[in-house]
Amino acid sequence: MSTVLTVVLTINTGIIVFLLWRLARMRNELSALRTRAKVLDPELAGPPADLDELFKDSKTSLITIEILNAMALASKESWFIGVFGSLSPRLVRRKVTDQAAGIIKSQLLDFGVEADVRIHRGN
């Protein structure tokens, strides 16, 4: 019995080490892709730090929305997210934000409003 337990623990430890290594590689790859994307499209860098400069010479208006209860909304949608959402809250917030942007865009179109709905994410 002790041998079986040792083998199972060794295999589990190996799997955990492998998954942590993959996670580190994926984070590095994501960072490199974000850097390359910002070079290709500067708008991916998000809004400028100084919004006064953005509005200095134009009559543009900007509406911002911050979803404060993303986890609560997601857990209403699916019991799975309620149970496992704490493991990946960033992914849950991203999905809720994407879904909210889609709802806003479709609702604006229903009222005949032509709008450019974008999501600017912080780092």
Side-chain angles (χ1 to χ4, degrees):
M1 185 68 170
S2 177
T3 307
V4 172
L5 185 60
T6 304
V7 169
V8 169
L9 287 175
T10 303
I11 290 171
N12 284 341
T13 303
I15 290 171
I16 289 172
V17 168
F18 173 75
L19 291 175
L20 289 174
W21 172 74
R22 284 292 297 153
L23 180 64
R25 277 192 63 199
M26 289 173 68
R27 284 187 177 172
N28 289 339
E29 200 172 315
L30 179 62
S31 176
L33 288 171
R34 281 186 178 152
T35 304
R36 287 176 49 201
K38 286 179 185 177
V39 169
L40 294 174
D41 187 1
E43 286 187 17
L44 293 176
D50 189 4
L51 289 176
D52 290 334
E53 286 296 319
L54 177 67
F55 299 117
K56 188 177 190 180
D57 294 327
S58 74
K59 305 292 184 203
T60 302
S61 297
L62 179 69
I63 298 173
T64 63
I65 299 171
E66 181 179 4
I67 299 174
L68 301 176
N69 63 340
M71 296 301 285
L73 292 171
S75 63
K76 283 182 190 177
E77 189 72 27
S78 168
W79 68 269
F80 181 79
I81 293 174
V83 175
F84 297 106
S86 61
L87 297 175
S88 181
R90 184 181 294 174
L91 177 64
V92 171
R93 281 194 286 281
R94 180 180 293 258
K95 290 294 183 184
V96 169
T97 303
D98 291 344
Q99 195 172 19
I103 291 168
I104 290 167
K105 187 171 186 168
S106 69
Q107 289 292 310
L108 288 173
L109 286 174
D110 288 347
F111 286 96
V113 178
E114 293 181 20
D116 181 17
V117 178
R118 295 185 197 178
I119 298 173
H120 297 281
R121 291 187 167 90
N123 295 331

